[in-house]
Amino acid sequence: MPTTTHTADVLVIGWGLAGLVAAGEAAAAGKRVIIVDQEPRSNLGGQAWWSFGGLFFIDSPEQRRLGVKDSLDLARQDWYGTAGFDRDDDAWPRQWAEAYLQFAAGEKRAWLREKGVGFFPIVGWAERGGYTATGPGNSVPRFHITWGTGPGLVAPFQAAVEAAEASGRLTILPRHRVTALTTADGTVTGVAGDVLAPSGAGRGYPSSRDVVGEFEITAGATVISSGGIGGNHELVRRFWPERLGTPPTTMVTGVPAYVDGSMMDPARHAGARLINTDRMWHYVEGIQNWDPVWPGHGIRILPGPSSMWFDATGRRLPVPLYPGYDTLGTLAHLRQTGHDHSWFVLSQKIIEKEFTLSGSEQNPDLTGKDLRLLASTRLGKGASGPVQAFMDHGADFVVRDNLDDLLAGMSALPGGDLLDTDRVRTELEARDREVDNDFTKDSQIAMLRSARAFRGDRLIRTASPHRILDPAAGPLIAVKLHVLTRKSLGGIETDLAGRALGADGAPIRGLYAAGEASGFGGGGIHGYRALEGTFVGGCLFSGRIAGRSMADAV
């Protein structure tokens, strides 16, 4: 089998957002760069291309225009209250968290604006918390949507890499799967791996693993930016923490199959220390994609706060586990029920105002920067086109004109026999009685009224309070929800220069890590939980640091 050899100053493993940023920084510093990835070139940009492009900023112009008063101190309070750092292994993640907060409050926005990245003027309020001031969640809206979503965020970094490629300073090697890091005298000197057969698979679609050759690359510095494990359910279950209950028997997959954790073993064998692998971020509002790209393709609903949430048996979820308030708290609660699914019940009036689907391909108005479509989608009557498609074709949606038929439709879906329909009916009717007054003892109603005090929510995100069972607000809708795999919150431990650390805490010469492979920085910048808008942001930040550090080192 033929073996090809290459040399470079800087080698980047993985061409997701962190890898593109690192490669671009190194190339801009005049270094010779090689990027390798196991997928065909159609996947350049990795997971970030599929993302909603949400970014976490602190005290931004967009926030201030909406009357949101944010500050570094408030954001730090929210970050640390959410992260819950409590381990010796959190020493570097804590330092990364502080550095990222400074970045988000400082040059992050201006740096992106200089590259032509724009932002939707309405700031979203994700992970609202609902506990105490020092508990988890965002005290204020901080979720800034990239104008152009994930593709719009990837574009300037992809353009920089392709310009460096055109000038001869950078080489992109698709279908090159790294199987080992090579070392000499304790220094990582490059990689070895398999050359995979060419593939015409489109973006996100599975590609073959047929081997047609081998390769070796020698480099002065190597960065692992290969993503997480969300496409590999075996690894997700292996690392699943006891605190989140038992791992689901069935899950839908929120990332392409190539997000497989394949660089974890090579990193370990080279001496890198992986920490916090039991910390992970999965959603409980997953639905089966009626038009899938990758195996088990799931889509996450980004819900507003009005839908009623029931477990598989029909019990309403407790305070404050409402849609959009506490992702991992809800996951932990639902895993204790012994069932893999739960339910939203809502009205047409709610779905047309509050349902957004995560992903660039599910938001053609924002992704395509189409102002006319944006106005009709976000402000017009009816559900958006992608949401309506799920209502029409999705296996998890039940749409009926009355409650009897809705409950019958829910019961007819797989697992629906667990549902106590009388309990669901009682909860819905009781909830609707509470809406008739401006005052209420139902805390979800109180919280959604509070949400509408924010102009962004009132305008495009939170329906006016109404009786769900009111025929004028119908039809009625139920959605069967699944656990959807997404992010690894742990990874390769790194110092503030992005250098991978060994068991003795010292940097491994020649080896760096960035993006999800490094827990978005330090081996777990988020701790146990994330504030949203901090995943692609963590890729930007850690990729930039690693790229600049490698350029300085070689």
Side-chain angles (χ1 to χ4, degrees), residues 367-387:
T367 301
K369 303 180 181 181
D370 188 329
L371 291 173
R372 182 173 297 177
L373 181 60
L374 179 73
S376 63
T377 298
R378 309 290 163 170
L379 301 176
K381 189 73 174 172
S384 68
V387 171

Side-chain angles (χ1 to χ4, degrees), residues 167-200:
S167 72
R169 290 179 288 116
L170 185 146
T171 301
I172 299 176
L173 298 176
R175 305 296 283 158
H176 281 58
R177 178 178 62 189
V178 173
T179 58
L181 297 166
T182 55
T183 61
D185 299 324
T187 299
V188 172
T189 57
V191 300
D194 298 325
V195 179
L196 304 179
S199 171

Side-chain angles (χ1 to χ4, degrees), residues 39-208:
E39 293 306 307
R41 188 156 176 159
S42 55
N43 287 278
L44 199 67
Q47 295 178 66
W49 190 94
W50 294 96
S51 76
F52 201 34
L55 290 166
F56 176 96
F57 294 121
I58 301 167
D59 192 28
S60 69
E62 289 80 15
Q63 287 174 300
R64 293 194 294 270
R65 280 195 290 268
L66 291 168
V68 175
K69 297 179 180 179
D70 200 5
S71 69
L72 180 57
D73 286 342
L74 184 60
R76 183 183 294 112
Q77 172 178 298
D78 289 347
W79 191 290
Y80 281 87
T82 300
F85 294 125
D86 61 358
R87 300 173 175 174
D88 291 343
D89 284 348
D90 287 329
W92 282 111
R94 282 178 179 270
Q95 293 185 56
W96 272 87
E98 181 58 36
Y100 183 73
L101 287 165
Q102 297 286 345
F103 180 60
E107 65 175 310
K108 178 182 176 184
R109 186 180 182 281
W111 177 64
L112 290 170
R113 291 292 297 135
E114 287 173 2
K115 296 182 179 299
V117 179
F119 309 104
F120 186 57
I122 305 298
V123 182
W125 195 353
E127 286 300 292
R128 302 176 187 225
Y131 300 92
T132 66
T134 56
N138 282 296
S139 298
V140 297
R142 295 194 180 101
F143 191 79
H144 297 68
I145 300 168
T146 301
W147 188 229
T149 66
L153 187 57
V154 167
F157 301 100
Q158 179 176 336
V161 162
E162 290 177 338
E165 182 184 30
S167 72
R169 290 179 288 116
L170 185 146
T171 301
I172 299 176
L173 298 176
R175 305 296 283 158
H176 281 58
R177 178 178 62 189
V178 173
T179 58
L181 297 166
T182 55
T183 61
D185 299 324
T187 299
V188 172
T189 57
V191 300
D194 298 325
V195 179
L196 304 179
S199 171
R203 183 182 291 276
Y205 286 92
S207 61
S208 79

